Amino acid sequence: MFATEALLALDKYERSLPADATDRGQQTADRLAHWWKQLKMDDALRGGGGTDAEQILAKAADLALDPHNHEGLRVEDAAAQAKMMADFRGRPTAMKDIADFRREFGTAYGGTADVPASGDEWLAQSLTRLARASLLRDVVTRGAKAELSRPLRDAADELVQQGQKLMDGQDELAVRQQMSAAEDASYRHQVRLVVGSLVYAAGVTASGAPDLAQAAMLAPAAAVAITQTVKSWNARQNPPEPGLDPAQAQLRSVRTDLTNTLDTPTPATRRDTRAIRNATTRRPDHGR
Amino acid sequence: MTDDKLSQERVRELLDSGEATPLLAGMEVGPTWYADRWWYIPDEAADDADYQPAGPELSEEFDRLRVRAQAIEDVQAELDGRR
């Protein structure tokens, strides 16, 4: 979600510049390079993999930061180069282009997205959210426990409820009604983990306080994420992994949630659901 | 506090008093800088497990992550200031 948003913000910034401006590409490169360096994002999207949006954004950053690149940056060119690299690596499915991202974003927000009027402002905000989500992911992947504070957990719960309301009346509601009670509880737990990390990345301010207005803006997108999570839930038929006890499996699923939430909803697997259903430990409530 | 353990309650007190600093703003549990070293709870530990000091290698990782976290907080403060 956050890489997609940052990519769309970069696209908006580029398109806000006069089409006949000779330095359009250089201005676009300069703004991306500026915020990329300010946020120290060199490690944020490392590895060359990731979602389509992450790969295109990483390529755009490469172009923007390349001291030998005097052409500047066009988002369409970055997408084309990212696609070429993906094809070279033998990717079996077609990579999305910018038009796909614009269309999906419009669908997610129902055409009512409240984004900053300034392309640069939106770029800065979205890259900050991406950097924060990436940081949280990296803390967890280094083996450290990280849990949301109570206000952020409450904000995540509120977001889930809003997303659930938006789903009501849609086809996915019928799918959920076919779940057993245990599956439904596991599903809700899974969604809470995903949305919790979304809220953390989107809603926390410099003081550590949650920005609920910011988090609420994500509600429609969260509904889409939840819908896709349900679809994944029903589509996957992975067998349980031998030698993995429920606690280990649950920890792995949490790590996977945080890792995947950088850009796409987490596909819940049957292994995850069994692990969560069987887990005996629960988060203590510290009353904070 | 023992020599190599800090309860979660004690870390919350230290955070509230400003004696300790969290790596991630807005988190209730997470790597924390206190008494010139990093403390953390391994992710495989129980939910109510105590904090333990990070080893040298992990401390270097946390140092690097802290630089990124500070950069994010600086940009966030700039953006908040514009509102």
Side-chain angles (χ1 to χ4, degrees):
Chain A
M1 177 182 289
F2 299 111
T4 298
E5 187 193 8
L7 186 61
L8 287 165
L10 182 64
D11 177 56
K12 178 181 177 178
Y13 179 81
E14 181 186 6
R15 288 191 293 147
S16 72
L17 301 171
D20 57 351
T22 55
D23 63 346
R24 195 180 195 221
Q26 198 56 56
Q27 283 193 62
T28 307
D30 287 349
R31 290 324 293 167
L32 179 59
H34 170 77
W35 291 118
W36 201 269
K37 283 189 260 186
Q38 288 282 101
L39 289 162
K40 300 190 185 304
M41 290 187 68
D42 285 348
D43 293 334
L45 298 179
R46 66 185 180 282
T51 64
D52 290 358
E54 288 175 13
Q55 291 181 52
I56 295 170
L57 197 59
K59 174 50 68 179
D62 284 347
L63 292 170
L65 295 165
D66 181 358
H68 303 296
N69 172 22
H70 303 297
E71 302 290 321
L73 167 65
R74 287 183 66 244
V75 177
E76 297 278 4
D77 290 345
Q81 290 191 33
K83 179 181 185 308
M84 193 165 60
M85 291 173 64
D87 290 344
F88 182 75
R89 288 196 297 265
R91 178 188 160 119
T93 54
M95 185 176 247
K96 290 180 191 170
D97 60 25
I98 299 302
D100 294 326
F101 288 113
R102 288 180 194 142
R103 185 172 54 252
E104 289 181 4
F105 186 76
T107 302
Y109 283 88
T112 60
D114 181 19
V115 300
S118 158
D120 185 50
E121 183 77 11
W122 190 23
L123 180 62
Q125 290 181 11
S126 59
L127 284 173
T128 302
R129 287 191 274 272
L130 175 61
R132 197 182 293 283
S134 167
L135 180 66
L136 176 58
R137 175 199 62 186
D138 289 347
V139 167
V140 173
T141 55
R142 278 160 178 78
K145 194 185 287 292
E147 292 181 0
L148 294 172
S149 63
R150 184 59 179 267
L152 286 172
R153 290 207 306 272
D154 290 346
D157 286 344
E158 175 63 25
L159 199 51
V160 169
Q161 288 174 10
Q162 290 185 36
Q164 192 64 58
K165 286 177 186 170
L166 288 166
M167 281 177 63
D168 287 351
Q170 299 180 18
D171 292 343
E172 300 309 323
L173 185 63
V175 175
R176 281 199 56 236
Q177 286 172 340
Q178 293 172 9
M179 292 180 178
S180 69
E183 283 176 329
D184 190 56
S186 299
Y187 153 79
R188 288 175 184 278
H189 182 88
Q190 186 85 6
V191 168
R192 190 183 190 204
L193 290 171
V194 172
V195 179
S197 54
L198 283 177
V199 169
Y200 169 73
V204 72
T205 67
S207 65
D211 180 345
L212 298 182
Q214 190 70 262
M217 197 186 86
L218 282 170
V224 173
I226 292 166
T227 301
Q228 293 176 349
T229 300
V230 173
K231 286 179 178 172
S232 301
W233 180 292
N234 286 282
R236 298 287 290 270
Q237 295 289 334
N238 287 353
E241 191 169 323
L244 203 62
D245 69 41
Q248 288 174 320
Q250 185 184 30
L251 288 166
R252 177 172 296 186
S253 74
V254 170
R255 186 182 292 114
T256 302
D257 286 331
L258 292 171
T259 301
N260 290 346
T261 302
L262 269 183
D263 197 53
T264 53
T266 305
T269 66
R270 288 184 178 278
R271 185 187 65 221
D272 293 337
T273 66
R274 287 197 185 99
I276 292 168
R277 192 160 59 234
N278 294 335
T280 55
T281 56
R282 291 288 180 269
R283 178 205 306 275
D285 184 345
H286 300 296
R288 287 162 59 98
Chain B
M1 169 185 176
T2 63
D3 286 344
D4 57 356
K5 298 284 182 188
L6 284 173
S7 70
Q8 293 188 26
E9 185 180 1
R10 176 61 181 146
V11 170
R12 280 195 296 278
E13 290 171 357
L14 292 167
L15 289 170
D16 289 345
S17 68
E19 293 175 76
T21 308
L23 196 158
L24 301 167
M27 302 298 284
E28 185 165 279
V29 173
T32 302
W33 178 255
Y34 170 66
D36 294 327
R37 56 180 169 171
W38 285 107
W39 299 76
Y40 80 114
I41 300 175
D43 66 358
E44 70 272 17
D47 282 349
D48 59 351
D50 288 342
Y51 279 75
Q52 64 184 52
E57 193 173 323
L58 189 55
S59 292
E60 285 184 17
E61 295 277 4
F62 288 155
D63 284 343
R64 279 192 285 273
L65 293 172
R66 181 59 202 161
V67 171
R68 282 171 56 190
Q70 187 60 53
I72 293 168
E73 286 169 21
D74 291 346
V75 171
Q76 185 76 62
E78 180 184 337
L79 296 176
D80 290 348
R82 292 182 185 178
R83 291 178 184 172

